[in-house]
Amino acid sequence: MSGGTSLSASFKLNAIRWACPPTAVLFDLDGTLADTAGDLGGALNQLRVARGLDPLPLEVLRPYASAGARGLIGVGLDIHPGDPEFEPLRLAFLDAYMRCLADTTVLFDGMSELLYELSARGLKWGVVTNKPHRFTLPVMEGLGLREDAAVIISGDSTAHAKPHPLPLLTACEQMGVAPASVLYVGDDLRDIQAAQAAAMPSAAAQWGYIGHNGDISEWGADAVVAQPLDLLAHLPV
């Protein structure tokens, strides 16, 4: 988990101006709802060890965790899409991850309390992630949240993944709410781009895996939030 961020960072941008009362909050999964970097990094290090390389420290891999296989194979093995080795490595990474995807994954500090408060306020919450569904559901199950989420949309649940708006719009349709009444929270630039394309308010999660995405204040999010419970300030009662 990232630390040492000033609480005032959650108000780098003005509070969200809601066009209509909020009804729900949607979260990205990796690096936003849950700290999955340990298991993702562990899968990448299995590939390194198989090639006779030493494991990389988690702090090196963590900033790339939200980019999934593409980002981790890129930083860990310097092999990228288009390289003949990439696709076999991607499949090997996914197989390795399936074996360890719930070993160390936990909710970020304050997230459990946030989800409780959202429910207490009568707000729905759910997950929209680019993670394939065969990984998303076991992770949510391991966190004990699969039955609590109002909606779970994975990277292969719709014809397009983020930054396309379709996953977010599909989540709204399944929950029966208007996109303008939903806050989407993510730690990757494509999360904010997807929300903008869906005409949905967005918050950038400063606690997440943002190291490879450039300056978070330049993503165009409606709010930049230092820690999960700070989101409550942007959700009028």
Side-chain angles (χ1 to χ4, degrees):
M1 302 180 195
S2 57
T5 305
S6 170
L7 184 63
S8 63
S10 64
F11 300 102
K12 282 182 177 178
L13 302 179
N14 293 332
I16 294 170
R17 296 182 179 181
W18 290 90
C20 52
T23 61
V25 179
L26 292 172
F27 298 92
D28 174 50
L29 180 54
D30 299 287
T32 302
L33 185 76
D35 187 2
T36 58
D39 293 334
L40 287 163
L44 184 280
N45 276 329
Q46 289 184 47
L47 301 188
R48 285 183 58 86
V49 169
R51 289 181 161 230
L53 302 171
D54 291 333
L56 287 174
L58 182 57
E59 56 266 26
V60 173
L61 300 175
R62 180 180 294 278
Y64 299 87
S66 278
R70 170 180 51 83
L72 288 165
I73 292 171
V75 69
L77 296 170
D78 196 24
I79 295 173
H80 307 273
D83 188 297
E85 289 189 86
F86 178 79
E87 186 58 19
L89 281 171
R90 185 185 73 85
L91 295 176
F93 172 85
L94 295 178
D95 286 344
Y97 180 55
M98 179 58 85
R99 295 191 294 269
C100 68
L101 52 71
D103 286 358
T104 65
T105 288
V106 294
L107 292 176
F108 280 104
D109 289 343
M111 187 58 71
S112 180
E113 293 84 352
L114 172 62
L115 298 181
Y116 177 86
E117 181 61 25
L118 293 179
S119 297
R121 294 188 182 191
L123 298 174
K124 299 177 181 180
W125 68 267
V127 167
V128 178
T129 175
N130 276 1
K131 200 182 202 72
H133 210 55
R134 68 185 177 110
F135 303 120
T136 301
L137 291 186
V139 169
M140 291 294 287
E141 189 75 42
L143 293 168
L145 296 176
R146 181 174 176 179
E147 301 302 321
D148 296 332
V151 66
I152 299 174
I153 301 294
S154 303
D156 49 3
S157 296
T158 62
H160 302 283
K162 300 175 294 182
H164 197 282
L166 183 59
L168 294 178
L169 296 175
T170 300
C172 291
E173 181 179 1
Q174 291 188 11
M175 289 190 296
V177 298
S181 73
V182 178
L183 176 63
Y184 187 52
V185 188
D187 70 314
D188 194 285
L189 175 60
R190 64 189 170 187
D191 296 327
I192 307 307
Q193 292 171 333
Q196 291 170 338
M200 181 181 294
S202 63
Q206 201 165 27
W207 64 84
Y209 310 143
I210 59 175
H212 71 291
N213 278 290
D215 188 346
I216 193 173
S217 67
E218 296 180 355
W219 294 0
D222 295 292
V224 177
V225 186
Q227 54 190 349
L229 285 170
D230 291 350
L231 284 165
L232 295 175
H234 298 282
L235 296 166
V237 178

